[in-house]
């Protein structure tokens, strides 16, 4: 099978028939063999019954319906587990992404040998309150992830080699960083294609401004996992050592001042009045905590089934 289209959706009933007809038309015009996976993320409108209707007319349409709303990432994950096509294409259900992009995306994977191609909505039809923070967000994501050629990490329209989606685990809200997940899994041929974006035709957006706070926190988590995920002591040990060194120097200062004050007549030094005493106390306690966190982290890592997963490029 050439293509699996994976579409996560939450209350998008109005768009579904139109979107499906459009995808079918593009697939037929280009002679692709395909399947469409609708992952209904606990919709409370008529989305699921519409998917059932569509499936009766076209057996290449498949669907999964969650018992409740889990989020876009879990929906994508379930779609990725089921997808069979050589190329997997994800798109949003709200018709902001155009199925006309599918043939070019497909070729960028099969002919140009990319692992992942991400859409870039160069001209966006979203409110300013979303486009400006998005620019900042993408600039940070580029820096932290080291994927410098992507303008739009979170574009819903993306294409993958099947292998890629089988080796990444999208969870929580990590759909914003799939290129980073792919890169960390060893898939480094990541390209971008400018795509047409359209205003939302039906329904309303499912994400509020909290997306930016959560987005940054998740980026921190991925950065940490990538840098120190299997060697947490390298971070916590460094911080712990720094604290202990500062604490030790402060203790020495306290000791020396006390000895000096005991030996001299006019100079009175009270340990508990000294800023160095509190510095020594705080640094020693924090240093110990960093070390303990590092040790516990190492024990957890030791039990992680993924600690020895490497993507082998070549072998002779
Ligand atoms: N979506 C989902 N589960 C959710 C929220 C959103 O499956 O909990 C789907 C939604 O139906 C749409 C896609 O994810 O197909 C992108 O959502 P939306 O269009 O609201 O995001 P925006 O375009 O505003 O970034
Ligand atoms: Mg949208």
């Amino acid at each position: 099978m050439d293509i699996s289209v994976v579409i996560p959706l939450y209350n998008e009933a109005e768009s579904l028939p139109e979107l499906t007809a459009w995808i079918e038309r593009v697939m037929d015009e280009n002679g692709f063999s395909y399947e469409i996976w609708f992952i209904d993320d606990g919709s409370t409108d008529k989305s699921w019954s519409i998917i059932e209707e569509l499936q009766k007319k076209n057996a290449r349409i498949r669907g999964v319906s969650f018992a409740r709303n889990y989020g876009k990432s879990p929906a994508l994950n379930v779609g990725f587990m089921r997808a069979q096509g050589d190329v997997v294409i994800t798109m949003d259900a709200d018709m902001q992404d155009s199925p006309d992009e599918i043939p070019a995306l497909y070729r960028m994977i099969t002919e140009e040998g990319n692992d992942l191609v991400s859409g870039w909505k160069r001209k966006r039809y979203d409110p300013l309150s979303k486009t400006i923070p998005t620019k900042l967000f993408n600039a940070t994501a580029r820096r932290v992830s080291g994927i410098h050629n992507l303008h739009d990490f979170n574009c819903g329209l993306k294409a993958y080699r099947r292998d890629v989606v089988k080796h990444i685990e999208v969870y929580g809200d990590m759909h914003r960083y799939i290129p980073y997940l792919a890169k960390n899994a060893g898939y480094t041929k990541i390209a971008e294609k400018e795509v047409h974006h359209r205003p939302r035709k039906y329904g309303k957006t499912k994400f509020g401004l909290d997306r930016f706070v959560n987005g940054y926190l998740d980026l921190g988590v991925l950065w940490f996992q990538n840098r120190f995920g299997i060697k947490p002591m390298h971070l916590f040990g460094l911080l712990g050592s720094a604290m202990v060194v500062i604490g030790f120097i402060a203790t020495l200062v306290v000791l020396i001042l006390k000895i000096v004050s005991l030996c001299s007549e006019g100079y009175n030094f009270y340990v508990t009045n000294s800023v160095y005493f509190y510095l020594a106390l705080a640094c020693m306690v924090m240093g110990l905590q960093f070390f303990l966190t590092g040790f516990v982290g190492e024990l957890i890592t030791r039990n992680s089934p993924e600690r020895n997963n490497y993507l082998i490029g070549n072998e002779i």
Side-chain angles (χ1 to χ4, degrees):
M1 188 190 302
D2 297 326
I3 298 179
S4 296
V5 183
V6 173
I7 305 175
L9 64 117
Y10 178 51
N11 293 341
E12 308 281 4
E14 300 100 320
S15 318
L16 294 177
E18 230 172 293
L19 178 69
T20 309
W22 193 353
I23 297 174
E24 287 169 338
R25 196 180 69 230
V26 172
M27 295 296 186
D28 292 339
E29 278 171 10
N30 289 274
F32 289 130
S33 54
Y34 69 98
E35 61 179 1
I36 305 175
W37 278 101
F38 283 112
I39 315 294
D40 178 358
D41 182 17
S43 295
T44 49
D45 65 354
K46 289 195 306 248
S47 295
W48 182 246
S49 56
I50 290 174
I51 293 168
E52 284 180 325
E53 287 303 311
L54 292 167
Q55 204 275 335
K56 282 185 195 138
K57 287 185 230 144
N58 180 355
R60 282 170 291 206
I61 293 174
R62 311 288 306 272
V64 172
S65 151
F66 284 172
R68 71 166 176 87
N69 178 234
Y70 286 104
K72 188 176 178 184
S73 292
L76 284 173
N77 195 37
V78 165
F80 286 166
M81 288 196 302
R82 284 166 173 71
Q84 295 295 320
D86 299 333
V87 172
V88 178
I89 292 185
T90 58
M91 62 168 69
D92 291 353
D94 55 0
M95 310 245 298
Q96 291 197 272
D97 304 325
S98 157
D100 287 334
E101 311 281 355
I102 291 176
L105 286 170
Y106 176 79
R107 279 192 291 276
M108 286 179 79
I109 300 285
T110 53
E111 289 168 22
E112 293 172 26
N114 291 302
D115 294 322
L116 187 164
V117 180
S118 183
W120 173 22
K121 301 165 284 196
R122 184 166 206 167
K123 178 146 181 41
R124 285 184 73 131
Y125 294 89
D126 280 320
L128 271 186
S129 60
K130 191 156 140 191
T131 50
I132 293 173
T134 297
K135 280 212 162 75
L136 274 173
F137 161 85
N138 277 307
T140 323
R142 270 197 297 276
R143 257 203 90 86
V144 173
S145 68
I147 308 173
H148 298 293
N149 59 338
L150 287 197
H151 291 86
D152 191 359
F153 275 71
N154 188 18
C155 183
L157 184 57
K158 285 190 173 62
Y160 311 80
R161 218 148 38 74
R162 184 182 50 218
D163 208 27
V164 179
V165 301
K166 302 294 178 190
H167 284 94
I168 56 175
E169 199 176 325
V170 193
Y171 66 95
D173 268 342
M174 292 300 182
H175 60 266
R176 299 195 177 94
Y177 299 110
I178 295 182
Y180 195 13
L181 290 175
K183 185 189 171 214
N184 290 349
Y187 298 98
T188 48
K189 280 192 186 147
I190 297 172
E192 180 169 73
K193 178 181 186 307
E194 218 177 296
V195 295
H196 286 288
H197 188 237
R198 306 173 338 139
R200 213 180 216 283
K201 195 164 170 188
Y202 306 104
K204 55 180 183 343
T205 178
K206 308 294 183 299
F207 296 99
L209 282 177
D210 58 345
R211 68 168 78 199
F212 296 108
V213 180
N214 295 337
Y216 275 103
L217 292 174
D218 283 342
L219 187 61
V221 170
L222 280 189
W223 172 83
F224 175 78
Q225 278 177 359
N226 183 40
R227 286 279 302 270
F228 302 107
I230 48 171
K231 40 196 173 193
M233 200 46 152
H234 285 199
L235 177 68
F236 293 110
L238 180 75
L239 291 172
S241 307
M243 287 294 157
V244 169
V245 169
I246 298 172
F248 185 71
I249 294 172
T251 312
L252 274 184
V253 173
V254 172
L255 256 174
I256 292 168
L257 289 179
K258 187 70 199 174
I259 292 169
V260 170
S261 95
L262 286 177
C263 300
S264 57
E265 276 294 300
Y267 174 54
N268 281 329
F269 177 77
Y270 299 107
V271 170
T272 50
N273 279 353
S274 161
V275 64
Y276 295 107
F277 171 70
Y278 294 102
L279 191 66
L281 207 63
C283 286
M284 287 297 191
V285 172
M286 279 194 332
L288 188 69
Q289 280 181 344
F290 278 129
F291 271 113
L292 290 178
T293 311
F295 282 125
V296 174
E298 289 290 335
L299 292 180
I300 293 171
T301 307
R302 186 84 183 81
N303 286 306
S304 151
E306 254 117 66
R307 69 188 180 279
N308 266 321
N309 273 0
Y310 312 109
L311 188 71
I312 310 287
N314 281 307
E315 194 169 330
I316 48 169

